[in-house]
Amino acid sequence: MKQNKNTRGEIKVKKRVLTGDRPTGPLHLGHYVGSLENRVKLQDKCDCFFIIADYQVLTDHLEETKQIEKNIKEVVLDYLSVGIDPKKSVIFIQSQIPEIAELTMYFSMMVSLARVQKNPTVKDELEAARKAGRISEVTYGFIGYPISQAADILFVRAHLVLVGEDQLPHIEQTREIARKFNRLYGKVFPIPEALVGTFPLLPGLDGQKMGKSLGNAIYLSDSPEVVAKKIKSAITDPARIHPTDKGHPEICNVFQYYKAFNKEEVKDIEDKCKNAKIGCVACKKRLIDVLNTFLNPIREKRKFYEKRSNLIKEILIAGNKRAKKEGEETLRLVKEAMYFDYKDLLARQF
Ligand code: TRP
């Protein structure tokens, strides 16, 4: 771990942060307020590691592996365009660090099947598969993905994990694994804490949670025209039919965007909506401006990196190398603690 001395000469230990995304498509505004914004802030204070979790794509997109490469590039572009700085943070690809897979193997022996099945997020996902008539297709790897996620986090011995609320059960599971390992074999892992974003549940255009696969998202890479079109089609307060009707901002999803992206005007818009002083059309028009003003610098940065494929390649190669170094060190500690280094049998004498 990096150590810095503060002005009084005391050693300050930098905390390690790990978080990441599955490369299944471009990132959206929900990702921004739920996590990316925090990442940009934290990279000045902490050692940040951002994992692009390509193995995790296999849990439910087994037939679409050809697109993963392109999606990885999109995710990296999204990261860089919101201000993640590769000089400060490490961006890397899960499958390129074999130590993560190795750690998953050890961890999978430390979690009971009953415990895996108790995970509320996995339970919800299984329920969705049952309803869709796909329960027989659910794989062993899918049910175990929180264990692989624990390895994603613990291979860098992270202290802090930025996640959306749906991921909290996985962090709880990770903490249990870390505690169990430390109890059985000696202290190797910190017990990581979860940090949820400033605005964890940004609704999509239809009022459901914004999701990559739900067709209700505004992407960081959307053009101004697309943003305008999407906001115009967004569902507002269903009880408000005429502009003269008084609105109910608390149940309007457009209002949630004001809360997330235009804190200065929230109060004003709320009053106007409640008193029928602004109609949904004008309110949406204002929001389109706000969102496009917010997205413009992100678009600019994206353009810069889009033209520089080589730079992206270099960033990923350097990130993978750095992450691998951490993985090697952690696996050395793990094997030593578990007596899996077979010192007597295998260590060289010179
Ligand atoms: N499961 C996360 C998601 O779908 C992505 C992810 C993979 C992750 N490994 C992680 C997040 C480790 C935090 C920490 O968004």
Side-chain angles (χ1 to χ4, degrees):
M1 209 181 311
K2 230 187 258 172
Q3 292 188 338
N4 290 333
K5 287 202 175 147
N6 66 13
T7 45
R8 273 172 284 156
E10 294 156 344
I11 288 175
K12 233 177 45 191
V13 177
K14 262 198 172 181
K15 287 211 168 181
R16 284 209 173 157
V17 175
L18 186 128
T19 186
D21 298 276
R22 305 197 308 159
T24 49
L27 302 183
H28 52 60
L29 292 181
H31 290 115
Y32 186 83
V33 286
S35 174
L36 295 171
E37 190 180 24
N38 264 337
R39 296 185 201 182
V40 175
K41 280 189 205 143
L42 279 172
Q43 61 182 351
D44 289 321
K45 288 187 247 153
C46 303
D47 282 332
C48 291
F49 291 82
F50 302 127
I51 186 167
I52 305 187
D54 55 345
Y55 280 146
Q56 240 184 55
V57 179
L58 301 177
T59 59
D60 58 359
H61 291 65
L62 205 51
E63 274 136 47
E64 291 157 48
T65 51
K66 202 170 171 198
Q67 293 165 32
I68 296 177
E69 184 167 13
K70 181 177 149 280
N71 288 342
I72 290 176
K73 191 173 169 201
E74 288 303 313
V75 171
V76 177
L77 277 170
D78 283 328
Y79 284 179
L80 298 170
S81 61
V82 296
I84 287 177
D85 180 350
K87 292 206 180 72
K88 297 177 189 161
S89 300
V90 181
I91 302 174
F92 67 98
I93 303 172
Q94 185 185 35
S95 68
Q96 300 305 298
I97 319 298
E99 288 75 11
I100 299 179
E102 211 178 337
L103 197 56
T104 304
M105 180 69 197
Y106 288 107
F107 287 171
S108 69
M109 304 298 172
M110 297 173 197
V111 183
S112 72
L113 186 56
R115 175 63 184 90
V116 177
Q117 286 168 334
K118 243 193 260 165
N119 182 309
T121 302
V122 173
K123 260 186 163 171
D124 286 352
E125 287 164 332
L126 285 178
E127 191 46 38
R130 199 167 289 126
K131 280 199 184 128
R134 292 191 297 100
I135 192 74
S136 61
E137 291 163 33
V138 170
T139 63
Y140 163 71
F142 172 81
I143 300 193
Y145 88 86
I147 299 171
S148 132
Q149 195 158 321
D152 296 344
I153 296 164
L154 294 175
F155 96 99
V156 285
R157 284 165 282 140
H159 304 94
L160 206 58
V161 191
L162 302 184
V163 279
E165 276 185 338
D166 62 320
Q167 302 283 304
L168 288 175
H170 304 341
I171 310 310
E172 198 42 52
Q173 177 96 76
T174 304
R175 291 162 60 85
E176 280 174 34
I177 291 172
R179 278 196 213 103
K180 185 161 181 175
F181 186 100
N182 290 349
R183 193 174 67 241
L184 285 169
Y185 305 112
K187 190 169 178 332
V188 169
F189 297 109
I191 311 300
E193 309 266 345
L195 181 68
V196 177
T198 48
F199 208 93
L201 287 176
L202 187 74
L205 302 161
D206 54 0
Q208 313 241 47
K209 187 182 176 220
M210 192 177 280
K212 274 185 208 168
S213 52
L214 302 173
N216 66 356
I218 297 178
Y219 296 105
L220 296 166
S221 48
D222 278 345
S223 68
E225 297 73 31
V226 169
V227 169
K229 202 167 143 223
K230 285 185 175 175
I231 291 294
K232 281 181 193 158
S233 74
I235 294 172
T236 54
D237 171 6
R240 198 171 183 211
I241 297 160
H242 308 290
T244 47
D245 298 338
K246 288 188 175 176
H248 307 86
E250 65 287 356
I251 58 159
C252 172
N253 44 328
V254 166
F255 184 65
Q256 296 300 313
Y257 288 72
Y258 275 95
K259 277 197 186 159
F261 291 97
N262 190 6
K263 295 186 185 71
E264 302 78 46
E265 285 182 336
V266 165
K267 193 84 202 80
D268 185 48
I269 290 285
E270 186 175 11
D271 289 344
K272 283 187 174 143
C273 175
K274 277 185 176 161
N275 296 303
K277 287 192 181 134
I278 186 169
C280 294
V281 173
C283 178
K284 282 181 169 182
K285 205 162 165 239
R286 175 79 196 116
L287 181 63
I288 291 167
D289 283 347
V290 166
L291 291 181
N292 279 331
T293 305
F294 164 76
L295 286 169
N296 275 340
I298 295 175
R299 291 177 182 129
E300 283 305 308
K301 262 210 166 132
R302 192 185 186 87
K303 258 191 233 151
F304 173 89
Y305 284 107
E306 258 168 359
K307 283 188 223 132
R308 291 165 176 82
S309 282
N310 259 339
L311 202 50
I312 293 186
K313 200 183 274 182
E314 279 164 26
I315 289 166
L316 281 174
I317 290 173
N320 288 342
K321 197 168 157 201
R322 171 74 205 284
K324 180 146 171 60
K325 200 172 136 241
E326 298 301 333
E328 284 169 1
E329 173 65 4
T330 301
L331 262 293
R332 193 183 64 70
L333 294 171
V334 163
K335 289 182 186 175
E336 190 175 274
M338 294 179 75
Y339 299 104
F340 263 62
D341 50 356
Y342 299 124
K343 277 207 179 87
D344 286 344
L345 282 174
L346 300 174
R348 287 177 193 269
Q349 295 306 310
F350 46 88

